[in-house]
Amino acid sequence: MEGNKKRQADNRGLIVVDNNSNNNSKKVKNELALRQTDSTSKEIILGTERTSKLKSPIMQLSGHKGEVFTVKFNSTGTAIASGSFDKEIFLWGVYEDCINYQVLKGHKGSVTELHWDRDGEQLYSVCTDKSVGIWDVKEGRLIKRIREHHAFVNSCCPVRRGPPLVATASDDCSARVFDTRKRHSVQTFQHKYPVTAVCFSDASDQVITGGIDNVVRVYDIRNNESELMILQGHSDTVTGLSVSPDGSHLLSNSMDNTLKVWDIRPFAPNNRCVKSLIGAQHGIDKNLLKCAWSPDGSKVTAGSSDSLVYVWDVSSGKILYRLPGHTGVVNQVEFHPNEPIIASCSADKTIFLGEIKP
């Protein structure tokens, strides 16, 4: 009881607690950051009531030597992977001390985006070295490197079901679909301009792309001759795409400082843009900021050049959280698959894990 009282009394500002593994005095890279706030404020991630199994309401993960561009939870939420300007991919535990338990090396440029496979046994990554990497997570080794793009590869996305397909988007003005069991791409979608974002539809039968021409395009994976849909409404480069958990809607992030929600069901009305969300900013750095849905589809999130994490309520379009902590551009934010936890990565070389209200 005395220890608990002392901790509560000391939580008046920012407290940094060293995590010492192996019971020695060696300082570990990961540090625990706690911040107390007014219970009525939604601008701080920490509340008095715990909502997850994290060791602390906020955990800060540090160790990357360069800007962190991408962060992803595995399907069970027990681990996250992060990719950075330092050419490395870090694997971290989510619970306990959030230890960095694996470093994957092999890329020769910035890791721009990565995804876990459905089983959490493999990791897909894309890089400015023009390659696509497939990694064995358990053994920590590169299984396969695909060199088919002719310029920076900006984005990738695996299918949710079906054969092991991965879509990629590149500055070489193409989006490609790879079957990881085969040597070369099985489908290529040519564009007039660089492609900056890509994702699959929920049924895995459509590829959705966005690029510097400000347009979102939907292609039938069985026929690349023409677009099924052309979604127009953004006035600047599309930097991120994400399909809702039920597959009915698409979220797009753009350098015009808006996120848009599109109805991508087959027989939706012609005006498919159902919501425009504002708040997050794109700065002069022109980073490809991603976006994501919550597991229940009620919330969406994105990073911002103002160093904040934004979370919106989809139905009302209102900002639920505007979360501080980072000191640089927030490049990607992700929801935990099972708990009210979000992960964010930034140009400040750090990653934050934090609780939100369920």
Side-chain angles (χ1 to χ4, degrees):
M1 290 297 294
E2 290 298 320
N4 291 336
K5 288 181 180 178
K6 183 176 181 180
R7 163 125 341 164
Q8 291 172 3
D10 287 344
N11 282 346
R12 294 174 182 170
L14 181 66
I15 298 177
V16 178
V17 180
D18 291 338
N19 293 322
N20 293 319
S21 59
N22 302 324
N23 295 322
N24 56 33
S25 60
K26 182 179 179 181
K27 186 175 180 181
V28 183
K29 293 178 181 177
N30 307 319
E31 292 181 334
L32 171 65
L34 308 179
R35 189 191 298 270
Q36 184 170 344
T37 184
D38 178 13
S39 62
T40 63
S41 173
K42 288 187 176 181
E43 293 189 351
I44 306 294
I45 200 168
L46 176 60
T48 56
E49 181 182 352
R50 296 302 307 278
T51 61
S52 78
K53 292 181 288 187
L54 283 179
K55 185 174 182 180
S56 172
I58 298 177
M59 301 291 287
Q60 184 182 24
L61 286 58
S62 58
H64 276 295
K65 298 181 289 293
E67 180 170 0
V68 187
F69 291 112
T70 179
V71 64
K72 284 284 183 178
F73 288 102
N74 65 356
S75 59
T76 59
T78 57
I80 61 172
S82 58
S84 169
F85 179 80
D86 62 16
K87 309 175 186 178
E88 297 177 346
I89 298 170
F90 281 18
L91 303 182
W92 314 77
V94 170
Y95 300 110
E96 298 300 328
D97 292 331
C98 297
I99 296 300
N100 169 216
Y101 64 88
Q102 187 72 267
V103 179
L104 306 179
K105 299 182 180 181
H107 277 304
K108 300 184 185 304
S110 302
V111 180
T112 51
E113 188 168 7
L114 51 77
H115 286 266
W116 297 80
D117 73 346
R118 286 165 292 191
D119 300 324
E121 296 179 354
Q122 293 184 355
L123 203 63
Y124 308 121
S125 63
V126 290
C127 181
T128 58
D129 64 9
K130 309 176 188 178
S131 74
V132 181
I134 304 174
W135 307 81
D136 184 308
V137 174
K138 291 184 178 179
E139 296 185 9
R141 64 182 180 90
L142 183 65
I143 302 173
K144 187 176 183 179
R145 188 195 302 276
I146 303 171
R147 296 183 181 276
E148 195 167 313
H149 284 291
H150 309 297
F152 291 175
V153 190
N154 299 310
S155 180
C156 67
C157 182
V159 292
R160 293 179 177 176
R161 55 184 58 83
L165 303 180
V166 180
T168 59
S170 170
D171 280 352
D172 65 8
C173 305
S174 74
R176 298 174 188 263
V177 176
F178 296 92
D179 186 326
T180 61
R181 301 165 298 183
K182 299 180 180 180
R183 186 171 184 178
H184 300 293
S185 61
V186 296
Q187 200 82 5
T188 300
F189 302 95
Q190 287 296 148
H191 295 63
K192 291 183 179 180
Y193 304 99
V195 189
T196 50
V198 68
C199 68
F200 273 106
S201 64
D202 181 66
S204 306
D205 59 348
Q206 297 171 359
V207 172
I208 306 169
T209 66
I212 67 170
D213 59 357
N214 316 336
V215 178
V216 176
R217 291 180 166 83
V218 183
Y219 295 89
D220 188 331
I221 197 172
R222 299 158 294 187
N223 179 12
N224 66 341
E225 293 182 359
S226 60
E227 302 94 338
L228 286 176
M229 284 182 269
I230 299 178
L231 307 177
Q232 296 178 312
H234 284 300
S235 59
D236 208 336
T237 300
V238 177
T239 63
L241 295 170
S242 180
V243 171
S244 63
D246 64 3
S248 63
H249 289 78
L250 172 73
L251 178 67
S252 60
N253 193 359
S254 170
M255 289 184 186
D256 64 10
N257 298 327
T258 68
L259 285 85
K260 294 186 183 296
V261 179
W262 311 83
D263 190 335
I264 56 173
R265 290 173 293 186
F267 302 105
N270 290 332
N271 183 17
R272 292 179 176 270
C273 183
V274 297
K275 196 80 64 176
S276 188
L277 308 174
I278 59 173
Q281 302 294 312
H282 288 252
I284 58 174
D285 44 73
K286 299 295 183 182
N287 283 14
L288 298 180
L289 308 185
K290 311 301 182 182
C291 54
W293 294 81
S294 63
D296 63 0
S298 67
K299 296 181 284 293
V300 295
T301 186
S304 176
S305 64
D306 61 7
S307 308
L308 299 177
V309 170
Y310 286 81
V311 179
W312 292 265
D313 176 75
V314 175
S315 60
S316 67
K318 294 181 179 179
I319 296 174
L320 296 176
Y321 295 94
R322 189 183 288 109
L323 307 174
H326 285 294
T327 58
V329 177
V330 180
N331 292 310
Q332 187 167 16
V333 188
E334 284 290 316
F335 288 97
H336 191 281
N338 305 314
E339 292 199 80
I341 300 170
I342 57 174
S344 59
C345 63
S346 169
D348 64 12
K349 308 177 186 179
T350 69
I351 300 159
F352 274 108
L353 294 177
E355 295 178 350
I356 56 175
K357 292 183 179 180

